[in-house]
Amino acid sequence: MALPNGLSTSHSRTPLFSFGVIADVQYADIPDGRSFLGVPRFYRHSIQVLQRAVQKWNDHKNIKFSINFGDIVDGFCPKSESITAVQKVLNEFEKFDGPVYHMIGNHCLYNLPRSKLIPLLKIPSDNLRAYYEFSPCPEYRFIILDAYDFSALGWPGDHEVALEANQFLREKNPNSDKNSPNGLVGVERRFVLFNGAVGKEQLRWLEGILRDCDQRKQNAIVCSHLPLDPGSAAPEALLWNYDEVMKIIHKFKCVKACFSGHDHKGGYCVDSHGIHHRCLEAALECPPGTDAYGYVDVYCDKLSLVGSNRMASTELIF
């Protein structure tokens, strides 16, 4: 249920905890531009949106942690400035009075390889994969997916993952430009170069984590740069194997919500198993003077997203 921005019906109870959210900052020190679809993009202003988000979270006093849903810098950022731009954005995140959990997006990988991104983003990893989990309280577990685990982006061109992913794209997408979904129909339009998939090892890991959550009677929240349900985002934005991931998720009772970024306009739906899918609006597409960030109040039976301005407030009741 979407509510007027900044309003929430949950304040009659005290939440277990709250966490901040922001997606698709895509900062670059370049003039404003447009997406391939003609949507205005405000590359320099986006870091100001982040600055106001951090200030808001700190002023709140009770934001336990924040989650960045990927794409902190834009693909148009000059490659000679990539590390500087990433560090500039990270410096703003570090002003938050608590931990920040990051995930990798396609624009991150346009700028830097995994081998450089993972340590910069302080993602726990010993094999260049960027999936992990954490539990902020006994009642909840957060699962951060690596949506580009199987992808043509971010791996060296001769790496087995890159070779297999490129072959996969050739089979799924007949266009010479693999970023183009032209001619593909419905959810098949997701088979483009700027998306990716959860690999087999990560799928096994996910199933094991969810089984453990069920046994512990924990609620689970899944976070991914790429959306996991066609009702929450455009087909061009979906994870390549969203159906495979959701088949695993639907085997268990613990997952209450899936949050994502990537599709800048945002979206929301509830799937056939009652799981909420919330794609977050992008900071990048905020004209000067507007914002897109929020925080989520977490209860035993619902999540209340309190959005700022262009990020719609949403009640996720389960």
Side-chain angles (χ1 to χ4, degrees):
M1 177 175 62
L3 298 172
N5 289 355
L7 300 179
S8 171
T9 61
S10 296
H11 296 295
S12 58
R13 291 191 286 149
T14 301
L16 294 170
F17 62 92
S18 303
F19 65 95
V21 293
I22 194 167
D24 299 276
V25 174
Q26 289 181 227
Y27 167 75
D29 188 13
I30 58 176
D32 295 342
R34 292 181 180 270
S35 71
F36 292 112
L37 298 176
V39 179
R41 292 183 164 182
F42 304 93
Y43 298 108
R44 291 183 175 126
H45 177 253
S46 64
I47 200 168
Q48 297 177 39
V49 177
L50 171 60
Q51 289 167 343
R52 290 191 288 270
V54 170
Q55 187 64 56
K56 178 76 171 182
W57 299 334
N58 286 341
D59 289 346
H60 185 283
K61 304 296 186 186
N62 287 308
I63 305 296
K64 192 165 189 174
F65 58 90
S66 62
I67 301 179
N68 160 41
F69 282 80
D71 281 0
I72 60 173
V73 289
D74 193 83
F76 284 129
C77 177
K79 298 306 165 280
S80 60
E81 300 174 14
S82 290
I83 289 183
T84 302
V86 168
Q87 194 57 63
K88 184 174 181 178
V89 178
L90 290 177
N91 288 345
E92 297 301 328
F93 274 112
E94 287 169 7
K95 295 174 184 176
F96 170 60
D97 298 332
V100 179
Y101 297 98
H102 294 278
M103 62 196 78
I104 288 176
N106 52 308
H107 282 266
C108 303
L109 296 170
Y110 297 151
N111 280 273
L112 295 170
R114 288 174 165 269
S115 57
K116 292 187 177 180
L117 275 171
I118 285 175
L120 278 170
L121 298 176
K122 298 178 181 176
I123 293 174
S125 174
D126 56 7
N127 60 359
L128 294 184
R129 263 61 181 193
Y131 55 88
Y132 58 102
E133 52 91 15
F134 64 96
S135 178
C137 71
E139 295 91 345
Y140 272 88
R141 188 95 65 101
F142 282 71
I143 298 166
I144 311 296
L145 297 181
D146 182 348
Y148 293 88
D149 180 14
F150 180 75
S151 167
L153 303 175
W155 300 100
D158 59 352
H159 193 284
E160 61 178 352
V161 173
L163 295 173
E164 289 178 24
N166 277 307
Q167 179 59 34
F168 175 83
L169 270 180
R170 283 192 291 270
E171 294 170 0
K172 294 289 187 179
N173 186 332
N175 296 304
S176 56
D177 176 8
K178 299 303 180 188
N179 275 315
S180 171
N182 287 346
L184 300 176
V185 178
V187 294
E188 300 297 306
R189 294 174 67 83
R190 72 190 187 276
F191 295 122
V192 285
L193 180 62
F194 55 76
N195 294 334
V198 167
K200 293 178 180 178
E201 183 179 332
Q202 187 179 174
L203 289 171
R204 289 191 291 270
W205 170 84
L206 174 63
E207 185 161 4
I209 294 293
L210 296 181
R211 183 174 293 110
D212 186 61
C213 285
D214 261 15
Q215 291 170 351
R216 294 173 184 266
K217 294 182 167 48
Q218 289 178 309
N219 291 331
I221 297 175
V222 175
C223 302
S224 167
H225 179 67
L226 297 178
L228 301 177
D229 190 280
S232 67
E236 296 88 348
L238 294 168
L239 186 81
W240 284 347
N241 63 337
Y242 77 87
D243 48 349
E244 200 172 2
V245 171
M246 290 312 302
K247 185 176 180 180
I248 291 174
I249 288 175
H250 287 155
K251 289 169 63 175
F252 302 95
K253 296 179 179 179
C254 54
V255 177
K256 304 304 179 184
C258 300
F259 286 91
S260 65
H262 194 55
D263 189 350
H264 292 182
K265 70 181 184 305
Y268 171 67
C269 74
V270 181
D271 70 22
S272 60
H273 287 65
I275 295 172
H276 298 262
H277 294 261
R278 183 66 171 88
C279 179
L280 301 172
E281 292 81 358
L284 173 65
E285 293 181 0
C286 293
T290 66
D291 288 312
Y293 60 83
Y295 63 88
V296 179
D297 288 331
V298 178
Y299 302 84
C300 289
D301 59 353
K302 67 178 174 180
L303 307 174
S304 179
L305 168 60
V306 181
S308 172
N309 198 220
R310 294 171 65 91
M311 183 174 287
S313 296
T314 315
E315 292 277 278
L316 289 62
I317 300 170
F318 42 83

